[in-house]
Amino acid sequence: MQRRTRRILWWTGGALGLFVAVSALVHIPAVQHVMGWTNPDGSGACPFGHGAPRVASDTPKAARPGPVARTRPALGFTLGATTRAQLASWATQHAITCTPRRGATLLECLDVPATLLAEHGAALGGTTAWFELDDRGVLTTVKTLRRATGADPVARAFAATELALTTRAGAPAIADGSAAPEVLASGAFRQATRDYRFADYRALLRATNLGDGYVLTESYTAL
Amino acid sequence: MGPGASLKCASSGKNAFATYGADAFVAVNKAIFAEVTAELTANGQTNLGDSFSRVTDFATFEGRLAAFLVFAYGGPTSITYTDGKTYEGVQDMRAAHAGMNITSAQYDYFVANIIVPALTKSGVPMGDVSSCFAPLVVDASVKASMVGQ
Ligand code: HEM
């Protein structure tokens, strides 16, 4: 073997050895805990992201700094607890068509009847709902889009939802724009936003004039 | 001329590119990407992730979107973006969104939660958002070119 080849082999072997040693080290529980590489349940996590399941917190606990929400309203679903099986039976029971997307971690449900998503007081039809599930098949996010031809029903739905969220979760961190029907109707892309940000919960509510109609969009996420 | 070149802004009587210029379009484009990132991370990715998980080159995507917006709203057919590269603005939206099966509701959600906040947060006054930006995005044929492809 030539000297040059031997030197390359030596360095390659050394680098590989070092990588294996570091990889082993970062998977030792004591090291993981010192470095803060832990899963939500407190078990050690791989810092490279392998084998770290994406899991919704089922109990309101401070995942981030700041106050937690009083409760985590999500249109009658329970973030961190409602399961894929429960969603499937809900869809079957009400004859709703839901299409799995992005593997099975996402369900898109079309034409959901207004009464089924009226838990916050917004009874608007023309609804699409999206449900996002974590690796265990537990609900992490609910999003909806509801459409109406006039500003009035969207303004009413916005006001009812704002009141429900403020009462049940707490005050919004950001409140932009008015959802009064005459304001919404004054031009395409007029918009009102209420953004609720807590350590364990985020809700985002918007009323928007899309030019060819009005939409209410909602997003509820367990953090 | 791009499809939105004839839209006149309420503030100036000129189209959006003539009114705001390249820098403002770069700012709006960056704001769109900031909103997409926020949607994909802080707020669940339910309604977008299906499509965006296939993007491998966000830098090129960003440059191409900027070039498209500039051309669509009355600017030149190509631009040099902030990365120093030149991007072509004349693009086929049908081809760009082929295979994504974007639904009408996804499109509306995207407009309401990404496009509108990006425009308003970039400081475009509401009167101009309504007069010289919105009509192109909500145009039925433009929407049809991206939905259901
Ligand atoms: C106002 C509406 C929209 C406009 C103006 C728009 C514009 C564009 C443009 C210019 C490109 C770059 C094309 C290319 O690189 O060849 C693009 C790509 C893309 N669009 Fe859209 N789009 C819109 C709506 C949407 C929606 C609603 C979604 C998904 C929910 C979406 C998902 C994507 C994705 C994932 C790509 C990247 C494709 C890739 O890099 O493989 N777009 N879009």
Side-chain angles (χ1 to χ4, degrees):
Chain A
M1 209 184 303
Q2 287 185 354
R3 258 183 68 172
R4 192 179 132 77
T5 317
R6 255 205 322 268
R7 210 169 48 225
I8 291 172
L9 276 177
W10 167 251
W11 278 109
T12 313
L16 263 176
L18 187 67
F19 177 74
V20 170
V22 170
S23 297
L25 192 70
V26 299
H27 286 91
I28 295 170
V31 175
Q32 289 175 330
H33 285 279
V34 168
M35 298 305 288
W37 295 324
T38 47
N39 284 326
D41 62 0
S43 64
C46 172
F48 303 139
H50 299 297
R54 219 169 39 90
V55 166
S57 64
D58 49 0
T59 46
K61 60 179 171 237
R64 285 148 206 246
V68 296
R70 274 201 284 278
T71 61
R72 303 194 294 184
L75 295 167
F77 302 94
T78 310
L79 299 174
T82 298
T83 63
R84 185 196 317 281
Q86 287 167 331
L87 284 171
S89 74
W90 170 82
T92 314
Q93 191 189 339
H94 300 289
I96 301 164
T97 311
C98 295
T99 316
R101 281 176 164 246
R102 209 183 58 216
T105 58
L106 169 51
L107 274 183
E108 184 175 62
C109 304
L110 307 177
D111 300 322
V112 182
T115 51
L116 294 181
L117 298 174
E119 220 258 339
H120 299 167
L124 263 186
T127 298
T128 297
W130 295 274
F131 299 97
E132 189 170 332
L133 303 153
D134 68 11
D135 296 341
R136 298 171 306 170
V138 172
L139 185 67
T140 59
T141 298
V142 180
K143 290 188 187 183
T144 68
L145 176 121
R146 321 188 193 206
R147 223 181 208 283
T149 44
D152 282 12
V154 169
R156 272 199 305 275
F158 184 92
T161 308
E162 181 181 11
L163 180 64
L165 294 180
T166 305
T167 311
R168 295 191 213 171
I174 298 167
D176 262 350
S178 159
E182 65 281 8
V183 177
L184 278 182
S186 64
F189 287 6
R190 278 275 169 193
Q191 184 171 72
T193 300
R194 302 294 179 267
D195 192 347
Y196 299 80
R197 291 165 181 248
F198 297 95
D200 59 341
Y201 173 72
R202 170 128 194 249
L204 187 57
L205 173 68
R206 284 192 163 119
T208 310
N209 176 341
L210 278 189
D212 61 349
Y214 297 81
V215 291
L216 181 82
T217 52
E218 295 156 281
S219 169
Y220 305 101
T221 306
L223 299 175
Chain B
M1 286 291 255
S6 57
L7 297 169
K8 303 277 183 274
C9 295
S11 69
S12 63
K14 295 190 232 157
N15 70 34
F17 189 79
T19 306
Y20 290 98
D23 288 353
F25 274 77
V26 168
V28 169
N29 196 55
K30 297 224 178 257
I32 290 175
F33 274 80
E35 295 293 333
V36 167
T37 309
E39 193 80 22
L40 292 177
T41 52
N43 199 28
Q45 48 182 295
T46 325
N47 58 317
L48 298 179
D50 198 24
S51 316
F52 281 86
S53 51
R54 80 182 214 168
V55 181
T56 50
D57 182 356
F58 266 94
T60 303
F61 183 10
E62 189 180 322
R64 286 186 55 80
L65 181 62
F68 172 77
L69 294 176
V70 164
F71 170 68
Y73 284 107
T77 53
S78 69
I79 59 160
T80 302
Y81 194 57
T82 50
D83 58 2
K85 294 186 185 155
T86 301
Y87 295 95
E88 181 58 45
V90 188
Q91 295 173 34
D92 178 355
M93 286 299 102
R94 216 170 276 277
H97 298 91
M100 290 186 203
N101 278 317
I102 295 172
T103 58
S104 173
Q106 267 186 316
Y107 185 89
D108 290 349
Y109 197 103
F110 186 85
V111 173
N113 286 275
I114 306 283
I115 305 283
V116 178
L119 284 167
T120 48
K121 284 180 192 171
S122 304
V124 181
M126 209 52 226
D128 284 358
V129 169
S130 301
S131 55
C132 56
F133 283 95
L136 182 65
V137 181
V138 299
D139 181 88
S141 65
V142 170
K143 180 173 175 180
S145 71
M146 294 180 229
V147 168
Q149 303 301 323

